[in-house]
Amino acid sequence: MRQTLYIPQGLKTRVEIFDGFGKEELVKTILVTLVAGGIDALLFLIFRNVVTSVVFMLIAISGSVMMLTKDKTNISVVDQVGFMMKFARSQKVYKYKHLEEWK
């Protein structure tokens, strides 16, 4: 008699606000919003333009949400960039001198 094992896919181990965006991403988005708010206040003091300030904040908030939202493989854009930087640092660099072959 053969017994099969059923392994469900797509189970979430954490509570998410919407698909791929949970409490951890919300905290990071709030931090980005606070930093962007400080930069935005400085921009407003310099340029005195409300439209520029509002657009800057909207881009900062929506950009951080898009970059921090995880896809089906549980990797976000920020995670992927981190992986690429870690891989680039792990590569060895061999410096060499080019010599003329026939001398």
Side-chain angles (χ1 to χ4, degrees):
M1 181 174 276
R2 185 176 178 184
Q3 293 181 352
T4 59
L5 177 63
Y6 173 72
I7 301 174
Q9 294 181 349
L11 291 178
K12 306 288 182 178
T13 58
R14 61 191 182 122
V15 178
E16 294 183 340
I17 299 169
F18 57 88
D19 196 30
F21 193 86
K23 185 178 179 182
E24 179 182 340
E25 290 81 17
L26 179 64
V27 170
K28 290 178 184 178
T29 300
I30 291 171
L31 290 175
V32 168
T33 303
L34 292 174
V35 171
I39 295 170
D40 190 41
L42 290 174
L43 287 174
F44 180 75
L45 291 174
I46 293 170
F47 297 113
R48 298 283 184 197
N49 191 345
V50 176
V51 175
T52 305
S53 297
V54 170
V55 169
F56 179 79
M57 282 305 293
L58 290 175
I59 290 172
I61 294 169
S62 61
S64 66
V65 169
M66 286 190 298
M67 288 188 293
L68 291 170
T69 301
K70 298 181 182 292
D71 60 0
K72 291 181 183 180
T73 59
N74 202 25
I75 297 175
S76 68
V77 174
V78 175
D79 295 337
Q80 187 66 32
V81 170
F83 295 152
M84 291 183 342
M85 289 172 39
K86 184 177 177 183
F87 176 76
R89 283 193 307 262
S90 72
Q91 297 300 298
K92 297 221 182 244
V93 177
Y94 297 101
K95 296 182 180 184
Y96 64 93
K97 286 186 177 181
H98 175 70
L99 300 175
E100 291 187 32
E101 187 174 344
W102 301 109
K103 283 190 177 183

